[in-house]
Amino acid sequence: DCPLEYATNILGGKWKIRLLWALYGAEYVRFNELKRQLDGITDMMLSKILKELIKEDIVKRVQYNEIPPRVEYSLTPNGLNLVNALNEVRKWSKETHKTNNSK
């Protein structure tokens, strides 16, 4: 049992980390804005990923009963903790990439 297996299962794939970054720092983001920020993602894939991250308590979905309906997505406190941890990985990646490219 690798301690990171749970995290890698949650974060695996092309879009999840990019989605977290799109939500990070924003109070909320609507579906179409996420789609614009994740250039190339399909509606079906974005919906699937959002559902998975909501199930894992990483993303929060709020639906307003208005005409037209409005849905907003944001990071939960658990999601913010995850992104803070990923920031450390980002720093490591940036430093390592710079070092390896200068050899």
Side-chain angles (χ1 to χ4, degrees):
D1 287 338
C2 174
L4 291 175
E5 191 171 337
Y6 175 69
T8 57
N9 286 338
I10 289 175
L11 297 172
K14 178 179 178 178
W15 300 105
K16 288 183 181 174
I17 291 177
R18 291 177 62 192
L19 174 67
L20 292 175
W21 241 247
L23 290 170
Y24 184 65
E27 186 176 342
Y28 64 85
V29 183
R30 295 176 71 177
F31 187 90
N32 284 334
E33 178 58 28
L34 285 171
K35 191 157 191 269
R36 276 191 290 278
Q37 289 187 41
L38 302 173
D39 187 40
I41 195 169
T42 64
D43 287 352
M44 187 186 312
M45 180 57 74
L46 180 54
S47 293
K48 178 181 182 277
I49 291 170
L50 285 166
K51 286 178 187 173
E52 290 173 7
L53 294 175
I54 289 166
K55 181 180 174 192
E56 295 295 336
D57 189 38
I58 294 169
V59 171
K60 176 178 151 183
R61 179 184 189 271
V62 176
Q63 180 174 334
Y64 299 91
N65 294 322
E66 302 173 345
I67 306 283
R70 178 171 53 117
V71 178
E72 298 173 344
Y73 298 92
S74 59
L75 292 173
T76 64
N78 190 37
L80 286 170
N81 287 338
L82 175 58
V83 172
N84 288 334
L86 288 173
N87 262 325
E88 293 303 314
V89 174
R90 181 189 62 83
K91 288 176 193 174
W92 172 85
S93 179
K94 195 173 181 181
E95 290 168 7
T96 302
H97 181 71
K98 190 185 323 176
T99 302
N100 288 341
N101 280 342
S102 65
K103 289 182 180 179

